[in-house]
Amino acid sequence: MMNGSVSSDENRILMAWLKDKRKEKGHTMRTLSQIIGTPHSFVGKVENQERRLDIVEYIRYCRALDIDPIEGLKKIAQ
């Protein structure tokens, strides 16, 4: 059983990738949260690894950024 998945290396890598992609797309945490339909604190907690995304949330997050979720998964599934 895996414990501490919020602070795992895989989560750190994935969240850094999402943050980089958000910035590349020109979004602030606030503008991204508006697209996703969540409070801006949600994006902050995700990016600061205070909260992890479930798979459905991850896909929604990627869709909001117009990025391929598989690209992010490949970064941690090697």
Side-chain angles (χ1 to χ4, degrees), residues 3 10 13 17 25 27 44 47 50 55 59 66 72 74:
N3 292 322
E10 293 88 353
I13 291 165
W17 178 75
K25 299 285 183 168
H27 288 292
E47 290 187 1
E50 296 169 22
I55 192 67
I59 291 171
D66 194 29
K74 285 180 179 176

Side-chain angles (χ1 to χ4, degrees), residues 23-73:
K23 290 180 176 183
E24 281 176 23
K25 299 285 183 168
H27 288 292
T28 63
M29 287 186 207
R30 193 170 298 273
T31 61
L32 178 58
S33 70
Q34 290 170 344
I35 294 168
I36 298 171
T38 62
H40 73 277
S41 60
F42 171 84
V43 175
K45 287 178 181 178
V46 167
E47 290 187 1
N48 292 320
Q49 298 180 62
E50 296 169 22
R51 185 194 190 290
R52 66 184 177 118
L53 296 173
D54 68 28
I55 192 67
V56 173
E57 292 170 328
Y58 171 72
I59 291 171
R60 286 181 184 151
Y61 206 102
C62 289
R63 284 184 181 153
L65 289 171
D66 194 29
I67 57 177
D68 182 1
I70 301 301
E71 183 183 341
L73 295 177

